[in-house]
Amino acid sequence: MPLKPERKLWHELKRFTPKISWTRIENTGSFGTPDLLGYNSSGHFFTLELKATKTNKVRFSPHQYAFHVKHPNNTFIMVKSLSLNLIKLYEGKDIMKLDACGLKLEPCAQGLEACYLWLERL
């Protein structure tokens, strides 16, 4: 069975980020909790929501909106554009702008290497 796009992104990210310790959050009790808890070599914790899209639009659940609005710091959203094969990183505080503008919104980092460096320097 082929991997779903977000799971593929997770495997790609895990291989490419050796200095970040990842914990995959499998949480059915608290909806909206991001997919990953990261801990970088500087000793900073952060969360990361993984998304994949075939279009410019990024879809979120109401619980995901609520999480990122309530926790605007050290939360991130990584989106893979399947049509462009491009990865973009956004801060969680920008979830409403990301919803309104889609992938036209300026990311804080673009490309897997740049995203990794951004998260490693927190």
Side-chain angles (χ1 to χ4, degrees):
M1 175 176 264
L3 293 177
K4 292 182 179 180
E6 287 176 11
R7 186 169 285 274
K8 278 185 181 181
L9 177 56
W10 158 235
H11 288 290
E12 188 178 1
L13 177 67
K14 188 167 53 168
R15 280 192 309 271
F16 200 82
T17 56
K19 292 183 180 179
I20 297 177
S21 174
W22 294 108
T23 300
R24 192 148 165 87
I25 302 171
E26 304 288 340
N27 193 341
T28 57
S30 182
F31 298 115
T33 304
D35 300 311
L36 302 170
L37 176 65
Y39 182 76
N40 67 19
S41 60
S42 300
H44 291 99
F45 280 103
F46 58 93
T47 62
L48 185 65
E49 178 66 39
L50 300 176
K51 292 291 183 181
T53 184
K54 294 178 183 176
T55 65
N56 179 53
K57 181 80 175 149
V58 183
R59 294 178 171 244
F60 298 101
S61 74
H63 299 287
Q64 289 170 326
Y65 289 115
F67 180 91
H68 287 287
V69 168
K70 185 176 181 180
H71 305 96
N73 300 318
N74 295 326
T75 61
F76 298 90
I77 302 162
M78 182 176 280
V79 184
K80 181 164 188 174
S81 168
L82 300 173
S83 59
L84 301 173
N85 196 27
L86 183 62
I87 294 173
K88 295 184 175 191
L89 183 69
Y90 299 92
E91 293 185 73
K93 68 178 179 67
D94 293 329
I95 193 168
M96 300 308 269
K97 292 180 195 173
L98 183 55
D99 178 55
C101 301
L103 296 178
K104 293 178 183 175
L105 181 66
E106 186 70 27
C108 53
Q110 183 170 302
L112 191 54
E113 184 174 357
C115 293
Y116 169 56
L117 293 173
W118 180 274
L119 295 171
E120 183 55 33
R121 286 188 222 142
L122 292 174

